[in-house]
Amino acid sequence: MHAPKKPKGKELITAEKQENRRISGIRIKVEHAIGGMKKCRIVKERFRCHKFGFEDMVILIACGLHNFRITHKMSHIT
């Protein structure tokens, strides 16, 4: 996906503005998911274990934990 840039000294047409809004809506969801996944510190640090498939397993576990947090939010507790 490529968001159209505003030409120097001009404005984007309405269709281009709508496309940029659509792309930014997707981007914010992805950024929030990555941020939620990075709550697991192991994802942010450099891996020292060089076993085959270890990084993939860590990322999958972090994604699973993030999804669990989202689906089991306790919003009624402040």
Side-chain angles (χ1 to χ4, degrees):
M1 280 188 271
H2 175 68
K5 290 177 119 181
K6 183 175 89 67
K8 222 175 199 177
K10 297 181 182 176
E11 288 295 318
L12 291 175
I13 61 174
T14 306
E16 291 173 328
K17 287 181 184 180
Q18 288 174 342
E19 179 66 10
N20 281 349
R21 281 192 198 100
R22 189 186 69 76
I23 292 171
S24 67
I26 294 169
R27 183 180 295 128
I28 195 73
K29 289 176 185 173
V30 171
E31 293 292 334
H32 284 167
I34 291 170
M37 194 177 66
K38 285 185 175 181
K39 286 182 182 178
C40 298
R41 185 174 158 213
I42 192 169
V43 176
K44 293 187 273 188
E45 302 294 327
R46 190 172 187 146
F47 292 122
R48 288 179 278 171
C49 181
H50 299 290
K51 287 185 180 179
F52 178 76
F54 180 75
E55 290 110 350
D56 294 336
M57 183 182 62
V58 167
I59 295 296
L60 285 173
I61 291 170
C63 290
L65 287 171
H66 173 67
N67 288 336
F68 182 80
R69 270 195 301 269
I70 287 189
T71 56
H72 293 87
K73 263 187 184 173
M74 294 199 284
S75 58
H76 62 282
I77 297 176
T78 55

